[in-house]
Amino acid sequence: MSHSDTVPLHPSSQSDIDEIENLIHASVQSAPATVLPARPPSPPRASIPVVSSSPFLQSNLPPPPPPSSNQKVPSVPEPPPPPSSSIAASGFGSAPNTLTEPVWDTVKRDLSRIVSNLKLVVFPNPYREDPGKALRDWDLWGPFFFIVFLGLALSWSASVKKSEVFAVAFALLAAGAVILTLNVLLLGGHIIFFQSLSLLGYCLFPLDVGALVCLLKDNVILKVIVVSVSLAWSSWAAYPFMSSAVNPRRKALALYPVFLMYVSVGFLIIAID
Amino acid sequence: MQIFPPNNGGERGKGYQTLGSPPEGFEQQPENGSKGVFSISSYTQYFNVDTDIVLNRLMSSLYPIGGDFFSKIDANPDLYGLIWISTTLVFMLAAFGNCATYLMEKHSDSTTSWSFDVSYINLAAGSVYGYAIVVPVAFYFLLQYLGSNASLVRFWCLWGYSLFVFVLASFLLLIPVEFLRWIVIILAGSASACFVALNLRSYIAENLSLMVVAAFFLQFALAIFIKVWFFP
């Protein structure tokens, strides 16, 4: 919240930084910050000044459009993701750094969050049996990348009707995640909608790896083995979360659709050539 | 049962209101709960089943002569069976249909190579979901018009579970012998059609045999359609 930790990238951008800081100071909200999820303290983040202090503070829902007019940093070739992380989990009125930080920093922060979520969900770790801890810091970028990558991999390996294959795969995965979550909710389970979407998306990572291997090497036996292994891995990753969300007498009812979705995606990977 | 998130985790995203409301009692025709059409808790009453109950209903759908399905589901009709059996059937038809087509062509012409036709998925989804949703609605409205008392949810439940036979039959339909495939589908079709027709007859108070026969033939027509289109 001061000039000392804002490094001007270019001498002429100093005045822009001043301008931005003035704008933010002028409209700063005084709503106190509330709970912060279990994340190591990150650099104090700017909030895009909004008029009302609504509960949307906390969410990682589709972010507002980036204030591109304010950001004079040199643009990066890759499409800069909107600074979703700049919706302050630490409250309004903190340093406006993330508005002026290099896009690479924002991207790096999101990427590291994806990697840490991935490690929590898909790889063995001591928190596995406690789903409450498993994905406190959920995000939807990871699942988005995994679903699109899987669709692309399937589309590349198809020899005909490529776009239809992509459409089917994407629709199956995206709608499937939503429907699976609704299924658990309807069975009387206790989960948070977006956390579950996020988790089901992360559990697609092993199938992504399998699809990549199958894309590169086109042997049926190998495909069957690779897909079976990645299917087992995905199911193992999703199991504790899903089974603990519902009444134990309904566990199979909640798990079967997950299994069905992964089997159908696995079949698509094997069958598409 | 673990409830999460733990309270200090903070609500992320839209969250969802805690399911405080128990099932809404045994109303005759529960269309919506009192909480409105967009709230999850008004639909949980249709999913109030445990694993063993679902398995029980699945097994009883395989006995065409029973005629007592409606009394089994009367207190607690569920839509879980409808949704997931029809989804399983869509996947089976698309997957095994491709395999069976390949095997059949290989049988007659050993130079064919495997090709996956993704339009099978679209066709299977359209036909199975369309049938499973529209036919019970049509029967419901017809029976209401003719004065008989009908319950849409129970009809959906019945037709949903009646598709389970086709799920099992599609495993057998992989065998690339034409004669055997016809035998399998005729047996499965008749079993399923008898199941629907006999249960419908025991449910409707009036003597509406035309409806019963129509239900029988519709189910049989679905069986023939499955055979002809997916397992040629």
Side-chain angles (χ1 to χ4, degrees):
Chain A
M1 181 124 150
S2 62
H3 287 301
S4 60
D5 45 8
T6 305
V7 177
L9 298 154
H10 187 86
S12 70
S13 64
Q14 179 61 37
S15 57
D16 295 326
I17 294 169
D18 288 340
E19 212 176 281
I20 293 165
E21 292 219 59
N22 288 339
L23 272 176
I24 288 174
H25 288 316
S27 61
V28 71
Q29 300 297 313
S30 60
T34 43
V35 57
L36 177 62
R39 194 190 310 181
S42 39
R45 297 194 187 139
S47 57
I48 297 171
V50 292
V51 180
S52 61
S53 53
S54 65
F56 276 103
L57 261 195
Q58 305 266 3
S59 83
N60 280 3
L61 282 182
S68 52
S69 56
N70 286 341
Q71 208 156 350
K72 299 276 171 65
V73 297
S75 63
V76 180
E78 63 214 284
S84 60
S85 44
S86 63
I87 303 239
S90 50
F92 289 121
S94 43
N97 287 338
T98 57
L99 276 181
T100 57
E101 68 179 5
V103 174
W104 175 239
D105 276 358
T106 313
V107 171
K108 206 162 58 172
R109 195 178 329 118
D110 283 331
L111 279 177
S112 67
R113 185 167 58 194
I114 292 177
V115 168
S116 73
N117 278 340
L118 196 61
K119 281 200 293 221
L120 276 176
V121 171
V122 176
F123 293 101
N125 69 66
Y127 291 126
R128 277 205 67 92
E129 298 313 316
D130 181 9
K133 279 208 191 64
L135 208 53
R136 268 220 215 136
D137 193 11
W138 58 264
D139 70 309
L140 289 176
W141 277 118
F144 176 71
F145 286 138
F146 294 146
I147 292 181
V148 169
F149 179 77
L150 194 51
L152 283 176
L154 285 174
S155 177
W156 278 323
S157 26
S159 40
V160 291
K161 293 191 185 175
K162 285 174 184 277
S163 52
E164 195 170 336
V165 167
F166 178 83
V168 165
F170 188 88
L172 173 69
L173 289 167
V178 172
I179 292 175
L180 257 54
T181 312
L182 283 179
N183 183 49
V184 170
L185 288 175
L186 284 167
L187 283 172
H190 294 99
I191 50 171
I192 299 180
F193 186 76
F194 283 104
Q195 189 179 30
S196 166
L197 283 190
S198 174
L199 190 119
L200 285 168
Y202 276 110
C203 290
L204 281 177
F205 175 74
L207 283 167
D208 271 357
V209 170
L212 190 60
V213 171
C214 291
L215 180 64
L216 299 171
K217 198 86 174 92
D218 196 16
N219 178 352
V220 175
I221 310 283
L222 176 73
K223 275 190 184 183
V224 170
I225 297 178
V226 165
V227 167
S228 321
V229 168
S230 45
L231 190 67
W233 188 4
S234 280
S235 311
W236 172 82
Y239 177 83
F241 182 74
M242 281 294 174
S243 65
S244 62
V246 285
N247 190 332
R249 288 198 317 260
R250 301 183 180 185
K251 210 159 65 165
L253 296 184
L255 285 172
Y256 167 72
V258 179
F259 179 68
L260 179 67
M261 185 173 89
Y262 287 153
V263 164
S264 58
V265 172
F267 181 80
L268 274 180
I269 297 177
I270 299 179
I272 296 204
D273 64 337
Chain B
M1 169 177 66
Q2 172 136 4
I3 299 182
F4 63 88
N7 290 331
N8 57 352
E11 285 281 324
R12 294 291 214 123
K14 271 194 215 138
Y16 108 99
Q17 278 100 16
T18 324
L19 264 190
S21 64
E24 300 249 313
F26 298 130
E27 304 159 82
Q28 183 61 24
Q29 296 250 6
E31 298 291 342
N32 307 312
S34 56
K35 299 227 166 45
V37 79
F38 284 121
S39 155
I40 297 261
S41 48
S42 56
Y43 295 110
T44 47
Q45 58 188 307
Y46 303 127
F47 286 81
N48 193 18
V49 282
D50 296 333
T51 311
D52 48 348
I53 298 179
V54 171
L55 286 175
N56 189 347
R57 291 179 185 184
L58 285 174
M59 289 301 120
S60 69
S61 79
L62 296 175
Y63 295 116
I65 316 290
D68 62 347
F69 192 72
F70 274 108
S71 57
K72 247 193 228 212
I73 65 168
D74 198 45
N76 191 13
D78 73 295
L79 293 178
Y80 181 90
L82 171 76
I83 294 178
W84 292 111
I85 294 177
S86 43
T87 307
T88 310
L89 185 61
V90 167
F91 166 63
M92 292 285 175
L93 289 181
F96 290 166
N98 270 300
C99 294
T101 312
Y102 168 70
L103 285 173
M104 203 59 171
E105 285 176 5
K106 191 87 177 187
H107 211 231
S108 51
D109 171 16
S110 59
T111 60
T112 47
S113 61
W114 166 263
S115 76
F116 183 76
D117 188 1
V118 84
S119 63
Y120 273 45
I121 299 180
N122 300 334
L123 188 63
S127 55
V128 170
Y129 284 134
Y131 182 88
I133 292 180
V134 170
V135 168
V137 169
F139 271 91
Y140 170 71
F141 282 121
L142 261 168
L143 284 170
Q144 289 280 48
Y145 175 71
L146 291 172
S148 172
N149 202 12
S151 159
L152 184 56
V153 180
R154 289 175 181 78
F155 279 4
W156 267 329
C157 189
L158 172 74
W159 259 274
Y161 280 101
S162 73
L163 294 176
F164 181 60
V165 186
F166 295 125
V167 171
L168 297 178
S170 51
F171 281 102
L172 289 174
L173 285 168
L174 277 174
I175 306 172
V177 177
E178 184 74 11
F179 181 63
L180 209 56
R181 281 187 183 178
W182 277 111
I183 303 246
V184 168
I185 200 63
I186 288 178
L187 282 175
S190 352
S192 186
C194 282
F195 174 73
V196 171
L198 290 175
N199 277 304
L200 207 56
R201 189 174 70 177
S202 63
Y203 180 69
I204 305 176
E206 288 84 12
N207 192 10
L208 289 167
S209 53
L210 187 59
M211 293 287 121
V212 173
V213 171
F216 181 93
F217 276 117
L218 273 173
Q219 196 82 358
F220 205 76
L222 178 71
I224 302 293
F225 172 78
I226 287 177
K227 162 72 179 74
V228 165
W229 214 273
F230 293 100
F231 300 95

